[in-house]
Amino acid sequence: MIERRDNDGVRQRELRRDAADNRDRVLAAAGAAVRREGTAVPMATIAADAGVGIGTVYRHFPSREALLGALTHRSFQLVLDAVTSAAEADRPGIEAVRGFLDRTIEHGPDLVLPLHGGPPVLDPDTVALQAEVHRRLGSLLRRGQCDGTIRSDARTADVVIFGALLAQQLPHVPDWHRTARRLVDIYLAGLAPTNPGRSDMSRPEFDGD
């Protein structure tokens, strides 16, 4: 009896692992399909791209809205991971922002966000995740404003919008990553204060967006 229970336990863990793997495959395929064809992409197309049956898709996501909501939540989690990683490094604020933008370029193909034509954020957990992303980005900007590497009128919304633009890979631009990082260099040059090395906190316009 003990051996049978052990075998049952192993089998249950395998089933849970398979289910989690299937869910991840569906989300990955859905992200690519939505970026390629838009939010109206057929669920059958997503299932085929994921290599699973349509029933598996609906078992994890009972509606298109549920799937799009999960994609949006996953996207904000990836962005939060990027800004958290950037903040942990001991470097000037403007270089921390660079680290965040570099990660955003890498994550670009996986991001389905409202600024990319994704669904509006309505789920309370996703709203909280979005707010935390903005809060931590604001902290990066304040760091740079305090250490004199970021101009005082820079706003969180500026970085959010620019990051969203970077995440939209242009299909006809060769070597997109190289081009995107060149754009980051230009953007950061504009983000720097006009008097490098001096902290100008006389007119901060951080808005927390």
Side-chain angles (χ1 to χ4, degrees), residues 148-188:
T149 59
I150 294 178
R151 56 193 293 167
S152 62
D153 61 345
R155 303 167 58 196
T156 308
D158 300 333
V159 181
V160 169
I161 292 170
F162 185 65
L165 293 173
L166 289 176
Q168 288 279 65
Q169 181 169 340
L170 299 178
H172 302 300
V173 174
D175 197 353
W176 169 251
H177 282 195
R178 181 178 179 181
T179 299
R181 288 192 167 87
R182 180 174 176 274
L183 294 176
V184 168
D185 288 339
I186 295 170
Y187 177 80
L188 293 180

XYZ file of all heavy atoms in Angstrom, residues 148-188:
328
model
N 23.071 62.990 -10.032
C 23.464 63.928 -11.068
C 23.596 63.348 -12.456
O 24.122 64.011 -13.352
N 23.097 62.124 -12.679
C 23.235 61.515 -14.003
C 21.960 61.615 -14.846
O 21.993 61.318 -16.043
C 23.633 60.032 -13.894
O 22.633 59.322 -13.140
C 24.989 59.886 -13.192
N 20.840 62.025 -14.230
C 19.561 62.121 -14.939
C 18.971 63.508 -14.702
O 18.960 64.001 -13.574
C 18.578 61.029 -14.469
C 19.089 59.635 -14.873
C 17.187 61.255 -15.061
C 18.207 58.483 -14.412
N 18.469 64.101 -15.740
C 17.882 65.442 -15.662
C 16.672 65.459 -14.746
O 15.953 64.457 -14.607
C 17.518 65.946 -17.055
C 16.582 65.029 -17.816
C 16.498 65.387 -19.281
N 15.852 66.679 -19.464
C 15.857 67.357 -20.606
N 16.495 66.861 -21.665
N 15.247 68.515 -20.708
N 16.414 66.604 -14.144
C 15.390 66.698 -13.103
C 13.966 66.616 -13.636
O 13.039 66.309 -12.897
C 15.555 68.004 -12.321
O 15.375 69.120 -13.176
N 13.774 66.899 -14.932
C 12.409 66.891 -15.462
C 12.022 65.558 -16.090
O 10.954 65.441 -16.691
C 12.219 68.025 -16.474
C 13.151 67.909 -17.679
O 14.125 67.133 -17.600
O 12.910 68.606 -18.680
N 12.883 64.545 -15.967
C 12.548 63.220 -16.512
C 11.404 62.606 -15.716
O 11.345 62.712 -14.487
C 13.762 62.306 -16.456
N 10.498 61.942 -16.408
C 9.315 61.352 -15.779
C 9.280 59.845 -16.038
O 9.782 59.368 -17.055
C 8.042 62.002 -16.330
C 7.992 63.507 -16.157
C 6.890 64.117 -16.984
N 5.580 63.567 -16.639
C 4.506 63.692 -17.415
N 4.593 64.280 -18.598
N 3.349 63.182 -17.035
N 8.656 59.148 -15.128
C 8.528 57.701 -15.281
C 7.829 57.354 -16.594
O 8.216 56.422 -17.292
C 7.731 57.115 -14.105
O 8.309 57.558 -12.890
C 7.733 55.597 -14.142
N 6.800 58.122 -16.931
C 6.060 57.850 -18.165
C 6.963 57.923 -19.389
O 6.749 57.197 -20.368
C 4.900 58.842 -18.303
N 7.989 58.781 -19.345
C 8.910 58.886 -20.476
C 9.621 57.554 -20.717
O 9.761 57.104 -21.852
C 9.962 59.974 -20.213
C 9.354 61.344 -19.993
O 8.255 61.599 -20.524
O 9.985 62.153 -19.287
N 10.087 56.938 -19.635
C 10.816 55.674 -19.749
C 9.864 54.550 -20.151
O 10.218 53.676 -20.952
C 11.530 55.339 -18.426
C 12.320 54.037 -18.555
C 12.463 56.475 -18.015
N 8.652 54.555 -19.602
C 7.663 53.531 -19.948
C 7.359 53.565 -21.442
O 7.351 52.529 -22.121
C 6.374 53.733 -19.123
C 5.244 52.849 -19.663
C 6.620 53.434 -17.654
N 7.122 54.757 -21.979
C 6.771 54.879 -23.399
C 7.952 54.473 -24.282
O 7.789 53.742 -25.274
C 6.310 56.312 -23.713
C 4.978 56.585 -23.013
C 6.175 56.531 -25.225
C 4.547 58.040 -23.050
N 9.152 54.930 -23.923
C 10.316 54.576 -24.734
C 10.572 53.066 -24.682
O 10.881 52.438 -25.695
C 11.548 55.338 -24.261
C 12.762 55.106 -25.124
C 12.783 55.522 -26.443
C 13.879 54.467 -24.619
C 13.892 55.300 -27.248
C 14.998 54.244 -25.413
C 15.001 54.661 -26.732
N 10.414 52.476 -23.495
C 10.581 51.028 -23.372
C 9.586 50.273 -24.233
O 9.920 49.265 -24.860
N 8.340 50.777 -24.277
C 7.320 50.133 -25.110
C 7.692 50.209 -26.589
O 7.473 49.259 -27.348
C 5.967 50.786 -24.870
N 8.271 51.325 -27.001
C 8.709 51.453 -28.394
C 9.834 50.475 -28.709
O 9.853 49.850 -29.769
C 9.166 52.894 -28.660
C 8.075 53.974 -28.611
C 8.712 55.362 -28.728
C 7.054 53.774 -29.713
N 10.765 50.313 -27.782
C 11.878 49.388 -28.002
C 11.403 47.942 -28.104
O 11.996 47.129 -28.810
C 12.889 49.496 -26.855
C 13.731 50.756 -26.774
C 14.580 50.718 -25.518
C 14.613 50.918 -28.003
N 10.343 47.624 -27.371
C 9.854 46.246 -27.352
C 9.128 45.862 -28.635
O 8.892 44.683 -28.883
C 8.920 46.044 -26.157
N 8.803 46.849 -29.463
C 8.131 46.586 -30.738
C 9.174 46.445 -31.834
O 9.543 47.418 -32.490
C 7.168 47.741 -31.068
C 5.932 47.760 -30.201
C 4.882 46.788 -30.693
O 5.103 45.584 -30.678
N 3.754 47.288 -31.124
N 9.668 45.250 -32.013
C 10.694 45.024 -33.027
C 10.146 45.321 -34.421
O 9.117 44.784 -34.819
C 11.198 43.591 -32.964
C 12.286 43.292 -33.981
C 12.956 41.954 -33.712
O 12.887 41.435 -32.600
N 13.591 41.413 -34.720
N 10.832 46.179 -35.156
C 10.408 46.517 -36.510
C 10.878 45.428 -37.470
O 12.077 45.128 -37.540
C 10.982 47.878 -36.910
C 10.530 49.056 -36.031
C 11.193 50.347 -36.495
C 9.017 49.199 -36.052
N 9.967 44.819 -38.210
C 10.313 43.625 -38.995
C 11.317 43.856 -40.107
O 12.017 42.932 -40.515
C 8.952 43.172 -39.558
C 8.101 44.405 -39.548
C 8.547 45.185 -38.350
N 11.391 45.079 -40.623
C 12.257 45.319 -41.782
C 13.571 46.010 -41.400
O 14.308 46.460 -42.275
C 11.509 46.158 -42.830
C 10.245 45.516 -43.306
N 10.226 44.289 -43.933
C 8.948 45.909 -43.210
C 8.985 43.961 -44.226
N 8.187 44.916 -43.793
N 13.838 46.090 -40.091
C 15.103 46.679 -39.649
C 16.099 45.547 -39.409
O 15.875 44.690 -38.547
C 14.916 47.485 -38.350
C 16.264 47.969 -37.822
C 13.985 48.673 -38.599
N 17.198 45.508 -40.156
C 18.176 44.429 -39.948
C 18.881 44.585 -38.612
O 19.138 45.700 -38.161
C 19.147 44.612 -41.127
C 19.024 46.059 -41.502
C 17.596 46.438 -41.229
N 19.195 43.456 -37.961
C 19.905 43.462 -36.683
C 19.227 44.409 -35.696
O 19.803 45.395 -35.247
C 21.368 43.855 -36.881
C 22.238 43.477 -35.678
O 21.672 43.041 -34.653
O 23.462 43.639 -35.763
N 17.975 44.077 -35.368
C 17.160 44.959 -34.527
C 17.821 45.252 -33.182
O 17.798 46.395 -32.712
C 15.778 44.358 -34.308
C 15.005 45.089 -33.248
C 14.689 44.663 -31.996
C 14.481 46.416 -33.344
N 14.011 45.614 -31.307
C 13.863 46.717 -32.118
C 14.470 47.385 -34.356
C 13.233 47.938 -31.861
C 13.854 48.612 -34.099
C 13.246 48.871 -32.872
N 18.412 44.248 -32.552
C 18.998 44.469 -31.225
C 20.101 45.526 -31.287
O 20.204 46.380 -30.388
C 19.528 43.165 -30.652
C 18.454 42.283 -30.103
N 18.708 41.214 -29.272
C 17.108 42.320 -30.246
C 17.580 40.632 -28.945
N 16.596 41.284 -29.532
N 20.924 45.463 -32.299
C 21.989 46.462 -32.427
C 21.406 47.854 -32.642
O 21.850 48.842 -32.031
C 22.906 46.086 -33.588
C 24.071 47.046 -33.794
C 24.966 46.572 -34.925
N 26.078 47.488 -35.151
C 26.993 47.315 -36.084
N 26.947 46.244 -36.865
N 27.963 48.201 -36.234
N 20.395 47.948 -33.508
C 19.756 49.235 -33.764
C 19.081 49.769 -32.510
O 19.187 50.959 -32.182
C 18.722 49.098 -34.893
O 19.383 48.676 -36.089
C 18.004 50.411 -35.150
N 18.383 48.893 -31.788
C 17.673 49.314 -30.584
C 18.642 49.828 -29.528
O 18.365 50.831 -28.848
C 16.854 48.158 -30.034
N 19.776 49.182 -29.388
C 20.751 49.639 -28.385
C 21.384 50.973 -28.798
O 21.756 51.780 -27.939
C 21.792 48.557 -28.137
C 21.209 47.386 -27.356
C 22.245 46.411 -26.841
N 21.640 45.531 -25.871
C 21.018 44.398 -26.172
N 20.924 44.008 -27.427
N 20.484 43.662 -25.223
N 21.510 51.204 -30.078
C 21.975 52.517 -30.539
C 20.943 53.580 -30.170
O 21.300 54.693 -29.755
C 22.214 52.497 -32.046
C 22.697 53.824 -32.608
C 23.069 53.698 -34.087
N 23.427 54.991 -34.633
C 22.556 55.864 -35.134
N 21.263 55.549 -35.167
N 22.956 57.034 -35.610
N 19.670 53.265 -30.317
C 18.612 54.193 -29.921
C 18.660 54.456 -28.414
O 18.391 55.576 -27.963
C 17.244 53.638 -30.328
C 16.980 53.522 -31.825
C 15.634 52.857 -32.085
C 17.030 54.900 -32.487
N 18.989 53.431 -27.641
C 19.127 53.613 -26.187
C 20.245 54.604 -25.891
O 20.106 55.490 -25.026
C 19.390 52.259 -25.487
C 19.815 52.475 -24.030
C 18.145 51.380 -25.543
N 21.374 54.488 -26.588
C 22.480 55.425 -26.386
C 22.022 56.871 -26.637
O 22.348 57.785 -25.866
C 23.646 55.097 -27.332
C 24.390 53.833 -26.934
O 24.288 53.421 -25.751
O 25.079 53.260 -27.807
N 21.276 57.063 -27.719
C 20.794 58.404 -28.061
C 19.813 58.898 -26.998
O 19.870 60.054 -26.554
C 20.147 58.397 -29.456
C 21.197 58.073 -30.527
C 19.467 59.730 -29.755
C 20.614 57.811 -31.905
N 18.909 58.014 -26.569
C 17.913 58.394 -25.568
C 18.578 58.772 -24.249
O 18.230 59.790 -23.634
C 16.941 57.230 -25.354
C 15.904 57.490 -24.293
C 14.778 58.258 -24.570
C 16.040 56.968 -23.005
C 13.822 58.508 -23.602
C 15.089 57.211 -22.032
C 13.983 57.978 -22.334
O 13.039 58.225 -21.371
N 19.553 57.978 -23.819
C 20.207 58.257 -22.543
C 21.022 59.543 -22.607
O 21.150 60.251 -21.597
C 21.088 57.080 -22.132
C 20.344 55.787 -21.787
C 21.329 54.698 -21.384
C 19.320 56.012 -20.677
